[in-house]
Amino acid sequence: MVRTKANPLLFLTFGLSLLLTVSPSATAQSSSTRKIQLKDAVIAALAKNTTLKISGAESQVAASNFRQTNAVFLPSVELGYTAMTSNNPLNAFGFKLQQQRVAASDFMPDLLNHPGHTQDYSAKVEVQQPLLNLDMLYQRSAAAKQKELYEYKYQRTREFVEFDTRKAYLNLQLAYRSMAVLEESLRNMREIAASTQRFFDQGLLKKSDVLNAQVQVATVESQLAKANSMVLNASEALAITMGADVATVYQPDSLLLEESAEGTASRQVSSTRADLMAMKKAVDATSMMVRSEQMNLLPRINAFGSFQYNNSQLGQFDANSYLVGVKLSWTLFNGTKNYNSIRSRKAERTKMELELKQQQDQSQLELDKALRDRLDLLTEINRQNVSVAQAEESLRIQQDRYREGLVSTTDLLTAQTQLLQQKMALAQAVYGNNLTLAYLQFLTAK
């Protein structure tokens, strides 16, 4: 049997194995566990996700704002009842005229000059009917574009929520896969530690070999405890995305390599992607506001009318009258306000057009990078599969040689650690491939 030199530093970490001997799934078992598939998680997220609900509320607000512009076609009607008293000669005589009760005696100079307190109770209906307001028509068109903008924004939010749910689900798969790999490695490490202890009891190994094996066991136990926390964290993140109870620990399907799905093979970002369409609608809305500002320079035509009752007694409706008319108004100069508003709107439109171009270029850049990343990940997965097979074979050989006393405990532990690292790297590469596919689908959505 090959002997190794004692390492005093190993004694410093000997106690870790006693502190970290908790069951790998103890924390997860403290809460209820529920198996869940990706499609069920996506359905739940699209039904209950808070971000999606907020986006839906914004869309409803935009729709309500558009309906408010119906006022450009419909009349406004106002009903009022007014009680007044006055000793002002002009007002007092006017009250009597409106009440249709002026008599010859009311023209006496002394009464005209000193009418005393005179009451008037007036019930009035006022109607205003827009006839031609071109600026308001273009504002209505802008509101319609805003409504479409938020509809596209809601659609893109749905696509993001679906991607975010898939990402959270993949994180949970990776956490479970990491825990499974660590549990397997821990069993092997404990077997090695047990064999090392037996050889030490037989006088074939030094105490340092036993301590080295125990340190490796403690290290894997620590990693496993962190992996268990990763499971809980990933489960809570998935629950929040789904709008579900975080007390439930979700268990996903196994982490498997996904192939390219339909819709992820495109190498171009679609110009009809929801977020790009939303930005286009924002540009269109700004264009409509430019036209609205320009129409402010033209005259407006509106009709108005009123019908009222006047009486000197409260609650009486004897004298009535009406007023009907059409008004043409034209603001010829308002301190260059309209001209500068037009310039401001045009600058805003130019800014949005540049932002749209920037977003298209940035999205294409991200798509090209994601496509290259996936090719690299597929290459890495193939390499890691070979590396795992080689590490497994190397560990088998080292175990056989260890039993014959041809290699040291350190060599055997190194082989086991190398296998653990290769399996973890393979799981990370598979996760990266699946996440990249989900991101490609998100980038190429139409």
Side-chain angles (χ1 to χ4, degrees), residues 78-91:
E78 182 178 347
L79 174 64
Y81 191 84
T82 307
M84 294 183 290
T85 182
S86 176
N87 66 349
N88 181 282
L90 182 61
N91 290 336

Side-chain angles (χ1 to χ4, degrees), residues 90-135:
L90 182 61
N91 290 336
F93 191 76
F95 289 166
K96 291 184 178 182
L97 282 174
Q98 288 180 318
Q99 297 165 8
Q100 300 176 6
R101 61 184 186 88
V102 176
S105 58
D106 293 321
F107 289 92
M108 296 176 59
D110 186 60
L111 184 60
L112 285 173
N113 292 325
H114 305 91
H117 294 288
T118 304
Q119 288 81 29
D120 181 65
Y121 298 93
S122 173
K124 187 176 183 180
V125 178
E126 290 184 296
V127 179
Q128 294 186 2
Q129 174 63 56
L131 296 180
L132 183 61
N133 298 275
L134 295 178
D135 59 326

